[in-house]
Amino acid sequence: MRYAETGFQLEVDLSKGSIDKVETDPEDTALLLGGLGMNLKLLFDRVPPGTDPWSPDNLLIFGNGLLNGTFVPGANRVSVDTIAPVNGFLGHSLMGGFFGAEMKMAGYDRIVIRGQAPDLVYLAIHNDKVEIRDAGHLRGRLMDETQTLIKQELNDKRAWVAALGPAGENRVIMASIDCGNSSAARTPGPVMGVKNLKAIAIRGTKDVYIANPEKAWEMCSRLRKELDLNPNIGDWMATDEDDSFHHNNFSWGNARVRRKTFWSNELEERWRNLKYDHMSRWTGCWNCPKACHNLIKWPNRRRFSYKCYGKDTYHMAAFQELDFTYEILPIAMDLGLDSYSTPQVIAFALELLDAGILTEKDFPDMPSDIRQKFYYLLHKIAYRDGIGDVLAHGVSGAATIIGHGAEEFDHNTVKKFEQLPIKLGKLNPAYFLMIATGEEMAITQTEGSFPQDPITDPKLKEEFINNWVAVPDRKFHEWFRQWEKRDQLPDQAMVEISDWNECMHYLDDSLGLCGFVSSFRGQFGGTTGYHVWNMPDLITLVAGIESDKDRLWECFQRIRTLARALNNRRGLRREMERPPEDHWAVRDEEYEQQLLTKYYDFKGWTFDGIPTKETLEKLSLGYVAEDLIKNNVLTGDEVTALKDPRANKEKE
Amino acid sequence: MERNEKRVKTVKEIIVDTSKCVGCRACEIACSAFHTIPKYSSVNTARSRIMVVMDEFRDIFVPIRAGQYTQAECNGRNRYMIDGKEYDECTFCPASCPSRSAFREPDSGLPLKCDMCESDPPLEKPMCVDACTFGALTYEEREEEKAEQETRGDIEIAFEVLAKKYGKKKVMDAFTRLSKD
Ligand code: SF4
Ligand code: SF4
Ligand code: SF4
């Protein structure tokens, strides 16, 4: 009997039209949990290193976190993973809401999609009944229409439909997959598009079993109440209308301009009214006592919801106000474009026009009003019309195609992924490490457990430390105690802070826990709902898998190392691990490189940033070591970074 | 038998404030977990006796609890317009009815009905209410004193109806025949 997980995955080959329900090995669950962990193994085992991400041989995997579909509060994240067309490395995205729980109740831990359908199709899943259906009539349909039409067609209002809009069908790099109020953005969209898969509809009516019913229920009921009352978790942007943080500190336009005094009380009041005059309600995700989505009805637009920083991206890219975001978001969402990277791509294009690298001829009939320009480009991109066909490659891809100095304007990407528009003064070592090395390609998917800033008041500091249950080791207490200035802590502390921050995300993404009640929410206030001390109990009680803090930590190391090995095999090396050059005004190349070496060494990786054979074997990843040796990524004789002669040269 | 005596009856009520519902489905999850055997040994919202009718695009969030079983779907159905929102046919109907799969056991098709989480010892409040941290469901119990006629059982009523229609003898004959089978 399997608990929390169903023990089956659905494997669909769209080229062959085959559908298989395949039993999985519980040993793998014990080693890799679920979600991201299991997806990584599938990508590593089944997608050979030379595979073109656009080819039918790439996989698109919707992987349920281990705890999804149970009564663990806030466990609902589906890890959507593939090889990303934008850079050929791991493409990782998370989808909340209800899709995952429904998939579990349909009897599957994950859906693995391979191949390419000869024509546009959608997948309809109702428990064991799985069909690949023609989607010709859905071609070009907008996001909300698609979901509604499929539910009507299946005569099932309770089905959940994860769909593409036109942008996804057209393989736009910034395309997202939406399902109700949730979406998987940043990579899986275009892969789903190239597979000719318009949507996946799912409905399940089977039981998801719990290993230790009474105790698991007791623990989860307690947790639900704790999460509910904990003010430091969830998304306070849903209720706190003071958003000076993003507006004064993040950069506007193409990640260029800081407006440090933008925010004012008058503005806050005006925007508060704007929001609540048009808000229908807050909405939430499966079994979570926080409700982070703001459901908005703007005149002449369909109702839509957004959460967190999605509130700011469009108007900040366009130097407008909140009303602009409210009027453009529903349209962008219906086209199936992600609100994180798309505004940056548009702002980038307009900058190129200003600089004369692109000319008026590239933008025929573009209106002069800035808002109208955004609408104009939004449609050009979604339908790949004219310049939109170029911009559909994302900032980095477009810059390469355009050339003539456009590359200089691609200043806010890491490994070709658009980053948060943050431009700061002094280098922050821990952030340097996380941005440079993050396999998840976004700082919000890496940071979160250790506070962003020190507390200087000694009394408040001690109070904070006393309530800081989440720390995996007392040494973090000590480092926090001695921390006075943001950039000043021993290198060892910087390395281990990055490690712990990463750890929580890798665990969340494999267990299905939402970062807003866990990994992302330790940095402000220190009291996360989940941490390495209560996760093991949950795993044992709910999934029936023996776990403790050390075993769990090893799971993190294994999953993180597997992600690294996957990318190494696809060519990831040290020299690519660079934050945007202008991320900090003051840089210190030599120090940064030394720090990177220390980080690699701590992880058991080589000077080039590849896990050594020994490290892999220690983590039960011997098969990965063999494979890397076979593919000439490793010889097997490598030492960890600090033992490398090149590290000594660095010191001199 | 004495009739028309004063009786104190406990009325249990779940008050639903649809404006507070965020659609988290914690109520469905708690209800389904509570009603499995052994308790909490599985989650399956298709077995829940509460169902949140949800449509984000139309701002519709309505928790409905399962009511009586009906053998046949009804002809006179309701479609509501409230505050400019149009609710689908049968949205507010709690019946376990052949026209839909809601409120029926997924495997057997047997009807599901909210039992107010009756259990021994009784719960302080029903599971769905306890799970709803948003205040969309609240529980009230009150004593109602009323002069009440002793109610007769369903079978008694059924026999009376049959006797009226076919005469006592025919009913007795049929009953005797059936009980021999
Ligand atoms: S914290 Fe917010 S985003 Fe996360 S699961 Fe809960 S409602 Fe969803
Ligand atoms: S009162 Fe109990 S049985 Fe009825 S819907 Fe709520 S949880 Fe289910
Ligand atoms: S638990 Fe409450 S808020 Fe959540 S869906 Fe049920 S009624 Fe709505």
Side-chain angles (χ1 to χ4, degrees), chain A residues 533-600:
Chain A
W533 301 107
N534 64 7
M535 282 174 170
D537 286 347
L538 271 181
I539 295 171
T540 307
L541 294 177
V542 178
I545 298 168
E546 283 304 315
S547 181
D548 56 36
K549 186 222 153 194
D550 293 338
R551 264 188 261 193
L552 189 66
W553 197 275
E554 204 179 286
C555 282
F556 146 62
Q557 290 176 315
R558 184 175 300 116
I559 299 167
R560 204 268 176 262
T561 307
L562 190 51
R564 172 58 44 154
L566 177 76
N567 279 344
N568 286 143
R569 199 175 61 173
R570 297 196 60 93
L572 178 71
R573 296 293 182 275
R574 182 185 183 112
E575 55 277 12
M576 298 171 193
E577 310 241 89
R578 302 187 71 87
E581 299 305 322
D582 60 358
H583 191 88
W584 294 282
V586 187
R587 298 288 289 267
D588 181 344
E589 177 71 17
E590 200 180 329
Y591 169 68
E592 289 170 14
Q593 290 307 317
Q594 282 172 15
L595 195 64
L596 195 59
T597 303
K598 288 179 184 166
Y599 171 89
Y600 286 169

Side-chain angles (χ1 to χ4, degrees), chain A residues 312-363:
Chain A
D312 302 337
T313 53
Y314 275 101
H315 68 253
M316 286 183 70
F319 292 94
Q320 295 295 300
E321 289 206 6
L322 180 61
D323 59 322
F324 179 54
T325 295
Y326 281 177
E327 67 169 55
I328 199 170
L329 250 187
I331 290 187
M333 284 173 160
D334 263 351
L335 292 172
L337 284 164
D338 148 43
S339 62
Y340 184 101
S341 47
T342 311
Q344 288 197 39
V345 175
I346 295 177
F348 161 78
L350 294 175
E351 237 183 30
L352 291 183
L353 177 60
D354 278 346
I357 295 175
L358 291 174
T359 65
E360 300 289 341
K361 271 194 277 171
D362 297 308
F363 301 86

Side-chain angles (χ1 to χ4, degrees), chain A residues 74 76-77 97 234-235 283-286 288-293 307 514-517:
Chain A
N76 49 51
R77 258 37 188 185
D235 181 15
T283 71
C285 302
W286 166 270
C288 180
K290 301 290 174 185
C292 304
H293 303 79
K307 82 177 199 294
C514 170
F516 275 48
V517 294

Side-chain angles (χ1 to χ4, degrees), chain A residues 252-271:
Chain A
W252 296 59
N254 180 27
R256 292 289 186 191
V257 185
R258 256 178 95 175
R259 301 166 88 183
K260 290 186 188 174
T261 57
F262 176 79
W263 200 258
S264 69
N265 289 338
E266 179 274 326
L267 184 90
E268 187 172 320
E269 200 42 41
R270 200 150 45 75
W271 285 17

